[in-house]
Every structure is written in structure tokens, then in C-alpha cells.
DNA sequence: AAGTGGTCTAGACCACTAC
DNA sequence: TAGTGGTCTAGACCACTTA
């Protein structure tokens, strides 16, 4: 197996950056899949011809990027989307009092369509290429307060059907990972005010024309590859969008 | 000078966490102020009785938290808020096409008041304690599209006046740092839809009752100490709020 | 007991900045 | 040239997990 021998520097400048890129390449090539363990640090250090310390520095960054997860005594794993881990890193709607809860998702519609020029540009695919588009209605604490219009390219989700989507056992991003080996590792989001249209107001529990929160998201896999476009609408009467936090002081 | 000798473990569990906490304590005690250089790694390693590698690991985390900044050949500095550095980490309103620009800020009003119970709870001060409250109107690309209602406790900003606030030479958070040694290192933000009231609509260029974006922020200094509460209103006709990004892939 | 990651060390050498 | 942070090494020892 070609291990991207790192004899020639030139690319990354430093050894550990080269190692990091080589590991990202291995991840993108599905050599290690979501939830799987990767080889031990000792083995990887030998494979890439660096010391343990250098290899660890590469992994440090991949862990900081939420791409890998370390477990002492067990090994290092490809980060996996799970209900109880990282879910609220991507689901950022909470009740006004701060209470976080998992949404109950209902699939409202599902269809295959051609990408508009706009959508194609966001997904970095050809205009007119096939995409799957579906609509979710979400309930929090039993209240219907949110919808999601989601589009993914057929090329990266071959064989996706309404049935398999509806019957997925876990979260959507976990489903992407397990079935299509698509790892969502980051998103860009923009938030603005919009007005509920006739079709949506019933799903959101608001009157037609009522102001709602609109969140437009692009989700990325490794190497900033866009894999999903999502427009969410939220009735913010009792729920809010959580913006950026920061500062990770340790608890004393 | 007491250097918080680290002979007794117990607290952090690991040496570098202890060193990190000791450095945070030194920062909180204003031993090193915003923009200043801290002692060299070699000196700090001696001071805390650890090896360079361990000392570096502590600094690594403080750098990751945007509390310190390293400059090869120069030294390590206490991160400083500047127009051209980190400004858009806290100012998250951009034009719909993605264009980022610095806001032109006008101080609309300034007064001293007593903290309501609600505000006092957010700022972790006594109900009825004095706070300064002021209102900014912001223009982007020459358009008035945003307001900020800002409250800070008098106890942490002694002697703040309208004149000195108005005449500050740089950004607000830089001003906090230089004049009051208050270092904003993180924020919590919640976003929802609100309606423009009579007093505000003129400042935002919308009709009374028009839907606007409301952002409620708490800004924190070291050890999660709240130092500012801010409610921003945005006309999102042409401007949007930038939510969380993630994934820091290197450019190849 | 064996294997994993986590911490810590002591030092070499490089790259950058100032004087 | 001297001082800074940046990289890389080789290894010891600890803590955790599984068997």
C-alpha cells in the first residue's frame, strides 16, 4: 500500500503538517471510516517515518478539528456523529430558558430534482446535476417550531430513497456517515429574518406572513468539500438560535 | 513575588493544567496586561519548575483559547483586541453577499442606572448595583442597520464617562482592555426575531413594528467572569448574522 | 499482562526578530 | 549576535482498557 511517503518535503513545510495532510487524505479515501479505530500512534509514527511526538502533534490538530477522538487505553477513532455526542454542535436551537432537547423529526416530503444554478454553486456541482431535496418538520418539547429544507447531491448519496431516509436509526449526519461515508466536519451558517409562507406556516405554528428566523447552512466534509445545503426556519417565540461561544476555561 | 509555587498537586491533576491555571491567575491579577509580552518560555519554565515542553503545552492551550498570541522571534503576548485582529470574531454581521466591513459607530445615549434583577443576575452583581448603559447606532456601507444596547457594571468600569467613551481611539473591547484592564475572551449569544419599537425603528431604517433580528450577548473575561451585557438589533434586509463555522483545514 | 493513549522530560536544531 | 518561539526527537513513566 502506498503510504504517501513523506521523503520529499516541499508541500506542507513541516513534518507534522505533512502527516496531518496524509491522514486527512487517508480519511477522505475512506481508508478509515466513521467510528472505526485508526492504527496506534506507534504504528503510524513508523508508517510516516516520524517520532511519536511529531505524530501526536498531527493527531492533536485533527482532534482539535473534531475529526478524530482519542480514548486512553482504547485507541484513536474517526469522530462519529451520535445523539449524545456533538449533536448540539450542529443543532443550535434551544428553548428560551436554555433547555436543550433532541428534536422529534418528521419527514414531510422527499424528491429528486435538478440543481438550480444557485444550489449547484453552493454544492460545487454542475448546474442541472441531480440532487435529493427533502423537508423535515421538527418538534421540541412536543411543539412544532422548526422546519428544514435539505438538499444533497445524488453523486455523493447514490441510491438514497425516501424509505431508507425515513427508517434511519440515528441522527441524519450519523446516517450520512454510516451509509455514504460522508463525514460532516464543519458548517457555515447565516441567520436572518424571513416571513412564513402559506406552505410553511402550518408546520411552524404561526400565521401566514409571520416573521420567523431563517438559517442557511452549508455543511462540509474533509477539505471543505460541501455536501449538504440546508435552510431552516424557526418560530422563535419560545426558542432561540445559539450563536458562537468561545473561551474554554477549565472548571476549577 | 509569590509565584504560586506548584509543589502541591491536587488541584489540576496534571502539571501543565496547573501551570495554565497559574498563568490565568496572573492574567486575572493584571500581572501581564493586554498587548504586553509575557516572560520567555525558558523563564516561565524555571518559574513554575517544569520543563520547556510542559510549559509550552500550557501556553498552547491559552493560545488555542485566544488568550495569548505567540510571535516567533518576538515573544508571547497577551492577546489584544484590535481593528484588524479578531474583530470579526465578535462582530458577526455581514452583508448578504458575504462582504465584511467595519461599522461606523455613533453613541446615541449614555446613562448611569441601577441594575434590574434580571441584568444583575447576568452580570453576577447585586440587584440595584450601579451600571452604565449606553446605546450605539451602527452603519455598514453607509447604511444604518444595527443598534446595540450595552450595559457594564460600574464596579468593573470605575470612572467611565460619556466623553471618554465617545473619544476612544479604537474598538470598544480594545478600550475596555487599555483603560480598565478588562479582557473579553469569549461570548455567549442567543438570536431570535423581535419587532422594532417606536424608539428604534428610526435608528434601523425600518417601519415601527417591522421584524428585526435580536442578538443577546453576554461577554466574559477570564474564568467566565461576565463583564458586559449587550442586546443588538439588526435590519436583515441586506445584512446577516454569521453563525458558527468550524473545520480549520489547511489550504494546500 | 499487554496494549493503548497521556504526561513529562532534556536537549538539539531551525526560523525569525531585533540590535 | 543574542534571544525568542517552532519543530523534532527518543525515551521514561503513568493511567486506562481489555482480556
Amino acid at each position: 500500500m502506498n503510504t504517501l511517503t513523506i521523503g520529499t518535503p516541499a508541500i506542507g513545510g513541516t513534518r507534522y503538517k505533512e502527516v496531518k495532510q496524509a491522514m486527512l487524505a487517508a480519511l477522505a479515501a475512506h481508508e478509515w471510516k466513521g467510528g472505526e479505530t485508526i492504527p496506534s500512534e506507534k504504528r503510524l509514527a513508523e508508517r510516516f517515518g516520524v517520532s511519536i511526538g511529531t505524530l501526536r502533534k498531527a493527531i492533536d490538530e485533527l482532534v482539535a478539528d473534531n475529526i478524530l477522538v482519542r480514548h486512553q487505553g482504547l485507541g484513536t477513532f474517526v469522530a462519529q456523529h451520535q445523539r449524545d455526542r456533538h449533536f448540539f454542535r450542529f443543532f443550535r436551537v434551544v428553548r428560551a430558558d436554555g433547555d436543550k432537547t433532541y428534536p422529534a423529526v418528521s419527514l414531510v416530503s422527499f424528491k429528486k430534482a435538478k440543481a438550480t444554478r444557485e444550489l449547484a454553486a453552493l454544492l460545487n456541482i454542475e448546474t442541472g446535476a441531480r440532487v435529493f431535496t427533502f423537508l423535515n418538520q421538527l418538534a421540541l418539547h412536543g411543539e412544532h417550531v422548526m422546519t428544514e429544507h435539505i438538499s444533497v447531491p445524488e453523486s455523493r448519496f447514490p441510491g438514497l430513497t425516501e424509505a431508507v431516509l425515513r427508517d434511519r436509526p440515528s441522527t441524519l449526519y450519523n446516517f450520512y456517515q454510516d451509509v455514504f461515508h460522508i463525514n460532516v466536519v464543519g458548517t457555515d451558517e447565516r441567520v436572518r429574518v424571513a416571513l412564513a409562507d402559506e406552505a410553511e406556516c402550518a408546520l411552524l405554528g404561526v400565521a401566514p406572513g409571520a416573521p420567523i428566523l431563517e438559517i442557511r447552512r452549508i455543511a462540509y466534509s474533509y477539505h471543505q468539500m460541501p455536501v449538504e445545503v440546508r435552510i431552516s426556519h424557526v418560530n422563535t417565540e419560545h426558542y432561540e438560535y445559539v450563536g458562537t461561544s468561545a473561551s474554554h476555561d477549565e472548571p476549577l
Side-chain angles (χ1 to χ4, degrees), chain A residues 14-196:
Chain A
T14 66
R15 309 276 265 143
Y16 80 86
K17 290 282 184 192
E18 288 170 21
V19 171
K20 180 183 179 184
Q21 288 304 325
M23 292 183 71
L24 269 174
L27 287 161
H30 307 311
E31 181 176 339
W32 309 314
K33 304 203 183 74
E36 288 181 7
T37 172
I38 69 173
S40 75
E41 299 182 343
K42 184 165 171 296
R43 241 183 285 278
L44 287 170
E46 286 164 3
R47 164 166 165 179
F48 293 122
V50 296
S51 74
I52 294 268
T54 301
L55 188 278
R56 277 184 64 81
K57 188 154 183 183
I59 293 187
D60 282 345
E61 294 207 349
L62 291 167
V63 169
D65 294 344
N66 292 293
I67 288 172
L68 297 179
V69 175
R70 288 202 255 233
H71 276 148
Q72 189 174 358
L74 274 174
T76 303
F77 299 78
V78 180
Q80 182 144 29
H81 292 276
Q82 286 171 329
R83 260 218 146 57
D84 53 330
R85 299 203 28 157
H86 289 282
F87 182 79
F88 292 106
R89 196 160 80 85
F90 295 101
F91 186 74
R92 309 183 66 80
V93 174
V94 304
R95 199 162 62 182
D97 65 8
D99 185 73
K100 293 178 178 178
T101 189
Y102 297 109
V105 183
S106 317
L107 183 61
V108 176
S109 69
F110 177 94
K111 63 171 191 263
K112 191 167 9 174
K114 289 186 189 174
T116 62
R117 215 181 52 177
E118 205 176 357
L119 179 59
L122 295 176
L123 285 173
N124 198 20
I125 58 178
E126 302 285 316
T127 301
R130 298 285 173 171
V131 294
F132 297 107
T133 296
F134 54 101
L135 170 60
N136 284 330
Q137 179 187 35
L138 283 70
L140 292 168
H141 302 97
E143 250 187 300
H144 288 128
V145 292
M146 184 168 173
T147 61
E148 300 171 330
H149 294 81
I150 299 176
S151 295
V152 297
E154 183 189 27
S155 58
R156 304 205 198 288
F157 293 80
L160 178 63
T161 64
E162 175 167 359
V164 67
L165 179 61
R166 193 185 294 274
D167 295 342
R168 73 191 136 90
S170 184
T171 71
L172 191 55
Y173 285 173
N174 184 25
F175 171 72
Y176 290 177
Q177 219 169 12
D178 284 354
V179 180
F180 301 102
H181 305 310
I182 296 287
N183 301 273
V184 172
V185 296
T187 60
D188 281 342
E189 294 193 333
R190 297 291 187 77
V191 182
R192 63 182 303 153
V193 174
L195 302 179

Side-chain angles (χ1 to χ4, degrees), chain A residues 190-196 209-216 233 236:
Chain A
R190 297 291 187 77
V191 182
R192 63 182 303 153
V193 174
L195 302 179
I212 53 176
L213 201 68
E214 175 171 287
I215 305 154
R216 297 207 319 285
H233 287 154
T236 59

